Amino acid sequence: MTDTTLATPARDRMAFLGDPRLLRKALPAVSLVAILIAIFVLNERAMSYRGLDLMLKYAVPIAFATIAQMFILTVNDLDLSIGAFVGLVACIAGTWLVDQPVLCILILAGCIASYAAIGALIHMRRLPSIVVTLGMSFVWLGIAVILMPTPGGMVPDWLKALMSWKPPLVPFPIIACLVIALVAHVLLMESSYGAVLRGAGGNATAIDRAGWSLLRIRMSMYALAGFFGVLSGLSLIGLTTSPDAHIADRYTLLSIAGVILGGGEFVGGRVSPIGAVIGAVTLVLTGSFLIFMRISPDWQIGAQGAVLIVVLALRALIKLREAK
């Protein structure tokens, strides 16, 4: 006889463990919880408001950069220039945002338009995005070095105050990351045009036959990436208060790792805004975990890469199980 007395929670757990799709979706959150538990075991004080605030201090700019990379990956492209672009934004803001805010806003708007133009170039000439964005990384970095050859510049007080805000109960980085994830999720996953944008990465032929302009879609995605890249640069100098052309050199690799760690894939338009932000936060916490382990910061990139490899290996096992 079939046992019909099995408790509902037990059945739910068995169904969850037996469904590879649910396991794959839960993997980013499981990774975040695992790294948090490891940190709390090493240092109980990290569980406090101040501890979380310090650990997640740079989560906001990295989350913005990760979402920017996610928009590019949605259309099956890869942006190797986002780190240099964030650095350029930091230098532009540090040069003009205090004394000439209108001029600064116009220049930043021009940077976003340039990103859209890069998307148009890649689409119209059928160029590899990796090659084009790699070349643009040198352009962005060169302009940033010309503007600010040494660290300096000025940061407006309102930006510093915003990034150092201490709301009650929940640290600001957590609130900001939740807002970033929800806005990106609604924009890309809940809106009707968001479905079209994702469809361009999953089945561009069908989207084209439906009458949508693939050129406009790619330009929109690159413009969104530029917009979030601008927000990343502004939030970063609000934290550091000292703009520098090389301030975000690592953000290119971190943004790619964050998207992949959050469940995104290089093909098919398969991305998750909430997962991408979770992936970015996990990478930030990995650095704190190494500090508590008293491991040199020089190993930080390697450790973050190891976390990514482990998660990808687990995802591959889940896919293998799903295929069976």
Side-chain angles (χ1 to χ4, degrees):
M1 294 178 63
T2 303
D3 186 4
T4 59
T5 62
L6 188 62
T8 300
R11 287 202 307 269
D12 292 342
R13 285 194 297 269
M14 292 175 63
F16 175 79
L17 294 174
D19 191 339
R21 292 174 297 178
L22 293 178
L23 284 173
R24 186 174 59 190
K25 291 180 180 179
L27 195 56
V30 171
S31 304
L32 176 60
V33 172
I35 196 71
L36 276 173
I37 292 175
I39 290 173
F40 294 156
V41 168
L42 290 174
N43 192 330
E44 293 181 357
R45 290 177 295 178
M47 203 180 302
S48 64
Y49 180 104
R50 179 172 174 77
L52 289 172
D53 189 48
L54 289 174
M55 287 192 300
L56 297 174
K57 182 178 180 180
Y58 289 97
V60 176
I62 293 177
F64 276 128
T66 301
I67 292 297
Q69 186 71 250
M70 182 201 69
F71 283 119
I72 304 298
L73 279 170
T74 302
V75 290
N76 297 333
D77 286 349
L78 190 64
D79 185 6
L80 297 183
S81 68
I82 187 64
F85 181 76
V86 171
L88 173 60
V89 170
C91 292
I92 291 173
T95 302
W96 289 297
L97 189 56
V98 173
D99 296 331
Q100 298 175 285
V102 176
L103 175 62
C104 182
I105 292 173
L106 291 175
I107 294 174
L108 293 178
C111 290
I112 296 173
S114 298
Y115 242 77
I118 293 169
L121 176 65
I122 290 172
H123 179 81
M124 295 175 66
R125 304 301 300 176
R126 300 184 183 276
L127 299 173
S129 60
I130 294 178
V131 175
V132 176
T133 56
L134 178 62
M136 287 306 302
S137 68
F138 295 107
V139 175
W140 303 137
L141 180 59
I143 298 173
V145 171
I146 292 173
L147 284 177
M148 198 168 289
T150 58
M154 296 181 292
V155 179
D157 292 334
W158 62 266
L159 186 56
K160 291 187 287 187
L162 174 62
M163 297 309 299
S164 60
W165 180 40
K166 306 292 183 186
L169 302 179
V170 181
F172 172 71
I174 295 178
I175 296 175
C177 286
L178 287 173
V179 172
I180 294 168
L182 289 176
V183 169
H185 178 81
V186 171
L187 182 65
L188 192 61
M189 310 300 288
E190 299 296 334
S191 66
S192 56
Y193 191 56
V196 175
L197 296 176
R198 287 183 284 115
N203 193 335
T205 303
I207 295 297
D208 185 43
R209 289 177 178 175
W212 296 95
S213 171
L214 294 178
L215 172 61
R216 185 176 300 175
I217 289 173
R218 187 168 257 106
M219 290 181 66
S220 298
M221 296 303 267
Y222 273 78
L224 284 170
F227 176 72
F228 277 85
V230 167
L231 294 180
S232 177
L234 294 177
S235 60
L236 182 57
I237 63 169
L239 291 169
T240 63
T241 69
S242 180
D244 178 15
H246 297 279
I247 196 171
D249 286 350
R250 294 171 51 195
Y251 277 33
T252 296
L253 294 179
L254 288 176
S255 65
I256 297 172
V259 177
I260 302 303
L261 190 60
E265 299 183 10
F266 286 111
V267 294
R270 297 178 182 176
V271 294
S272 169
I274 295 177
V277 173
I278 291 176
V281 172
T282 302
L283 291 173
V284 173
L285 290 174
T286 302
S288 299
F289 175 71
L290 288 179
I291 293 174
F292 292 136
M293 289 285 290
R294 298 183 179 180
I295 298 175
S296 170
D298 296 335
W299 291 90
Q300 193 169 120
I301 289 292
Q304 290 167 337
V307 171
L308 180 61
I309 291 173
V310 170
V311 172
L312 288 176
L314 291 174
R315 192 191 299 178
L317 291 175
I318 293 172
K319 282 186 176 180
L320 181 62
R321 182 178 176 182
E322 187 176 357
K324 290 181 178 180

